[in-house]
Amino acid sequence: MSEEKSLNFIEEIVENDLNSGKYETLVTRFPPEPNGYLHIGHAKAICLNFGLTQKYGGYTNLRFDDTNPVTEKTEYVNSQQEDIRWLGFNWKNELYASDYFDELYGFAVTLIEKGLAYVDESSADEIAALKGTPTEPGQDSPYRNRTVEENLAIFTKMKNGEFADGAYILRAKIDMASPNMLMRDPIIYRIKHAEHHRTGNKWCIYPMYDFAHGQSDSIENITHSICTLEYVSHRELYDWFIEKLDIFPSKQYEFARLNLTSTVMSKRKLLQLVNENLVNGWDDPRMPTISGLRRRGFTPKSIREFCERIGIAKRENLIELSLLEFCIREDLNKTANRVMAVLDPIKLVITNYDKGSEELIGENNPEAEDGGGTRVIPFSNELWIEREDFMEVPAKKWFRLAPGAMVRLKFAYIVKCEDFVKDENGNVTEIRCTYIPESKSGSDTSGINVKGTIHWVSAAHAKTAEIRLYDRLFTSETPDAEEGDFKDYLNPESLTVLPNVYIEPALADADLDGRYQFIRKGYFCLDKESTADKLVFNRTVTLKDTFKKPN
């Protein structure tokens, strides 16, 4: 009998709340800000929020936290929706913080009327000077004791667009001596004359995240508002607003965010890479974005499995990128079609195989649960093989081609190297072999055993393709923690382009959803830039973990 998997701490909270009758229905939300593309860290939060309601019933809302019109775009909304669906999840309600702008404004007025909020016209520097330090209390703003009537009048004028950006802000009146710096009269509204992607120019004041978030949760009756550990200190303020407004008591819980080696997870830094053309857009296959991983050939299953393996914890830790690569290898090993491609070609001529003759060889994916299907591979007397599979002066324990050596051609025959040809610069340009007709794979009666097997592509039938070999984007495992600019640690070898690779003809029919193991070379997928005239394949991952950690 298999051992039941233990619950993570959030699942324990949910089970206790449901079993005790605290809530009848579990309601979670995933609340991205539409100011960039989602990355692998968001995938962890997506799997958690949607996974909980899949497991315990209830539903998950998708709510876009669109309270900053300067940085938000409909493009980001669309990409985030696509990513969530691609991962295999569906939301019950598509919502926006901007849906609640009228209600949030009403909440702010309520706080003013209760004497719990005031309009401040201090400059940012003046506010910072009065804020105090973690060990010293702050000082009251000179505007803290404005009358309710005066605050309401100015706040109305702010809403009506009568003031410039930065002229006034609305602050909650809490406690300037609180040990939690966020409770020292935080800003809850600011003036921004900027067109919003949904509300246009209706509003010129916008709520701050801390004011909009908890109230939006409450409006939606979110039972478990799950966010990352950097919001622990925000929880006190989250609860304060809900208590003072006397609204549905959503509760916030925090878990450790995903930190991954050899990359950065800050949307600000990822945007910097995009804007400075250091990568080829948000979906560059070197990026940790979900769209980048998808373009590189990662599958939804592999990312969900990765999130399951790293688990949900209360303490920050650094996850090895190699674990994510392990998850995609494990998935593709069972699902990817086996095909042959020669990345660094050299000609092999079989001198005793009739020139002009050809035959078809069938093969499938032996690891696939359904057998993998079959395809035919044309074979002829002239083949392309990898240059590295021939050695003029063989090393010790060399089991591939060399003068007088025999090797098996994958799926086909045993061949023996009889001779080779060099150009005027001494480079080997052609290898000449004989084949053993009785040695065909699956019906070998030759009695000859060889230790080496190499892949090949028939020269007469080969198609050409551009191959893009991707590696880690940074040379440092922790570019964020290094001295200097994180961009100083970009890996100059993170992309290698091979413009003329020979591939077997079946790959001419490859599609964007296909996944392929190039035998002995790694897992690949078709890139979106591929055309009928120019096939382009991206390497998803090597067959084995070959990354060498820096000294």
Side-chain angles (χ1 to χ4, degrees):
M1 189 173 178
S2 61
E3 205 175 297
E4 190 173 335
K5 188 178 176 186
S6 60
L7 302 177
N8 64 54
F9 77 96
I10 290 180
E11 289 174 329
E12 289 178 351
I13 291 169
V14 168
E15 285 203 2
N16 288 336
D17 287 347
L18 293 175
N19 292 338
S20 68
K22 183 177 181 180
Y23 304 110
E24 289 185 7
T25 303
L26 172 64
V27 185
T28 66
R29 84 290 171 267
F30 177 62
E33 183 179 357
N35 64 349
Y37 281 57
L38 299 179
H39 55 61
I40 186 68
H42 295 111
K44 178 180 177 181
I46 291 167
C47 290
L48 173 58
N49 279 288
F50 285 89
L52 284 170
T53 51
Q54 283 184 346
K55 182 174 182 177
Y56 295 105
Y59 60 89
T60 300
N61 288 340
L62 171 60
R63 182 178 73 241
F64 293 99
D65 174 30
D66 57 344
T67 58
N68 186 357
V70 176
T71 60
E72 295 158 1
K73 298 179 182 178
T74 302
E75 171 197 348
Y76 298 141
V77 170
N78 295 337
S79 72
Q80 292 176 0
Q81 290 176 326
E82 181 183 2
D83 289 343
I84 296 167
R85 288 194 184 100
W86 179 78
L87 280 172
F89 300 107
N90 289 295
W91 51 91
K92 180 177 181 181
N93 301 300
E94 178 186 325
L95 303 166
Y96 297 80
S98 55
D99 292 337
Y100 312 132
F101 279 172
D102 288 294
E103 209 161 345
L104 293 170
Y105 177 80
F107 286 149
V109 169
T110 298
L111 290 178
I112 294 173
E113 292 173 341
K114 288 185 172 185
L116 297 174
Y118 63 97
V119 174
D120 197 333
E121 58 193 89
S122 304
S123 69
D125 289 341
E126 289 168 338
I127 292 173
L130 294 175
K131 195 83 170 184
T133 69
T135 56
E136 297 176 350
Q139 301 174 51
D140 288 354
S141 163
Y143 306 100
R144 195 173 197 264
N145 295 316
R146 274 183 163 137
T147 66
V148 168
E149 292 71 24
E150 188 179 2
N151 283 318
L152 286 173
I154 299 174
F155 191 50
T156 300
K157 291 180 179 180
M158 289 169 61
K159 174 181 178 289
N160 293 338
E162 298 183 30
F163 305 119
D165 290 9
Y168 291 92
I169 55 172
L170 183 69
R171 300 176 69 177
K173 186 189 289 188
I174 307 179
D175 181 5
M176 290 302 292
S178 172
N180 183 347
M181 298 284 285
L182 291 173
M183 299 297 285
R184 296 183 185 181
D185 292 9
I187 300 170
I188 57 178
Y189 262 91
R190 76 284 206 204
I191 302 172
K192 275 185 181 288
H193 290 273
E195 185 171 341
H196 190 277
H197 73 106
R198 293 186 73 243
T199 60
N201 293 305
K202 177 182 177 182
W203 293 90
C204 61
I205 58 171
Y206 292 93
M208 300 295 287
Y209 172 86
D210 276 330
F211 187 66
H213 188 66
Q215 284 79 282
S216 297
D217 284 345
S218 180
I219 291 167
E220 296 172 22
N221 286 352
I222 302 300
T223 58
H224 297 75
S225 178
I226 303 165
C227 48
T228 46
L229 283 177
E230 62 263 40
Y231 291 100
V232 168
S233 58
H234 297 246
R235 191 195 320 141
E236 185 178 1
L237 183 56
Y238 181 102
D239 293 340
W240 188 88
F241 283 131
I242 286 176
E243 177 195 343
K244 299 305 179 186
L245 292 167
D246 192 25
I247 54 180
F248 180 84
S250 295
K251 292 295 181 183
Q252 176 179 303
Y253 303 93
E254 307 87 14
F255 69 100
R257 65 185 298 170
L258 171 60
N259 298 303
L260 198 62
T261 59
S262 305
T263 191
V264 293
M265 303 291 264
S266 158
K267 273 197 283 189
R268 177 181 60 82
K269 290 181 177 178
L270 295 175
L271 180 61
Q272 205 174 339
L273 294 175
V274 172
N275 287 344
E276 296 179 22
N277 296 316
L278 297 169
V279 294
N280 299 316
W282 283 99
D283 67 346
D284 186 303
R286 293 167 292 182
M287 290 277 273
T289 55
I290 296 174
S291 57
L293 292 167
R294 177 166 66 245
R295 185 175 174 187
R296 186 158 171 170
F298 279 76
T299 61
K301 181 179 179 181
S302 67
I303 294 176
R304 293 195 304 266
E305 174 64 19
F306 171 70
C307 293
E308 178 73 19
R309 283 177 177 267
I310 61 178
I312 303 300
K314 293 182 180 181
R315 294 177 60 184
E316 297 280 6
N317 57 348
L318 186 64
I319 304 297
E320 291 278 351
L321 183 59
S322 56
L323 177 58
L324 178 60
E325 293 173 337
F326 169 83
C327 290
I328 186 61
R329 282 192 192 96
E330 190 174 61
D331 187 16
L332 293 182
N333 183 50
K334 297 176 182 176
T335 58
N337 292 323
R338 269 54 171 174
V339 294
M340 293 192 287
V342 177
L343 278 56
D344 184 17
I346 187 171
K347 181 71 70 70
L348 182 148
V349 177
I350 305 175
T351 57
N352 63 333
Y353 191 97
D354 288 343
K355 188 174 182 180
S357 296
E358 60 184 58
E359 59 185 289
L360 299 177
I361 297 169
E363 186 51 42
N364 63 3
N365 173 10
E367 299 294 332
E369 294 173 0
D370 62 357
T374 59
R375 74 188 193 289
V376 292
I377 314 163
F379 184 84
S380 60
N381 77 307
E382 290 193 357
L383 311 174
W384 295 113
I385 66 167
E386 296 287 352
R387 187 172 298 275
E388 66 182 11
D389 284 337
F390 173 79
M391 189 173 287
E392 183 179 351
V393 180
K396 191 175 181 181
K397 294 187 177 180
W398 176 257
F399 299 126
R400 285 171 276 171
L401 280 174
M406 290 192 292
V407 71
R408 177 172 291 281
L409 299 174
K410 185 74 173 176
F411 313 133
Y413 300 96
I414 294 173
V415 294
K416 179 180 180 181
C417 178
E418 305 289 357
D419 196 7
F420 57 90
V421 178
K422 289 185 176 182
D423 62 17
E424 63 275 12
N425 296 317
N427 298 313
V428 177
T429 58
E430 184 178 294
I431 302 164
R432 293 177 177 171
C433 296
T434 55
Y435 87 114
I436 301 169
E438 301 81 20
S439 65
K440 187 174 182 180
S441 294
S443 58
D444 187 353
T445 58
S446 67
I448 299 172
N449 292 316
V450 292
K451 292 185 177 180
T453 300
I454 64 173
H455 64 282
W456 51 274
V457 174
S458 170
H461 305 88
K463 303 293 183 181
T464 58
E466 176 180 296
I467 302 296
R468 298 173 182 175
L469 305 177
Y470 290 101
D471 207 337
R472 284 160 166 74
L473 187 54
F474 292 92
T475 55
S476 168
E477 288 199 326
T478 53
D480 273 333
E482 301 286 359
E483 292 184 4
D485 193 325
F486 78 102
K487 293 178 295 182
D488 294 340
Y489 300 91
L490 283 167
N491 180 8
E493 298 178 355
S494 62
L495 171 60
T496 301
V497 178
L498 305 178
N500 289 298
V501 165
Y502 290 113
I503 58 175
E504 62 175 85
L507 282 170
D509 298 323
D511 60 58
L512 291 173
D513 293 326
R515 299 292 181 269
Y516 307 93
Q517 185 195 104
F518 288 7
I519 292 172
R520 301 172 65 216
K521 290 299 175 183
Y523 294 100
F524 291 77
C525 69
L526 194 69
D527 186 74
K528 68 175 187 178
E529 294 179 352
S530 190
T531 65
D533 297 327
K534 182 183 178 182
L535 296 170
V536 179
F537 288 88
N538 298 328
R539 183 173 68 189
T540 305
V541 70
T542 55
L543 292 177
K544 296 180 180 179
D545 186 358
T546 57
F547 180 68
K548 295 180 180 178
K549 293 185 179 181
N551 295 326

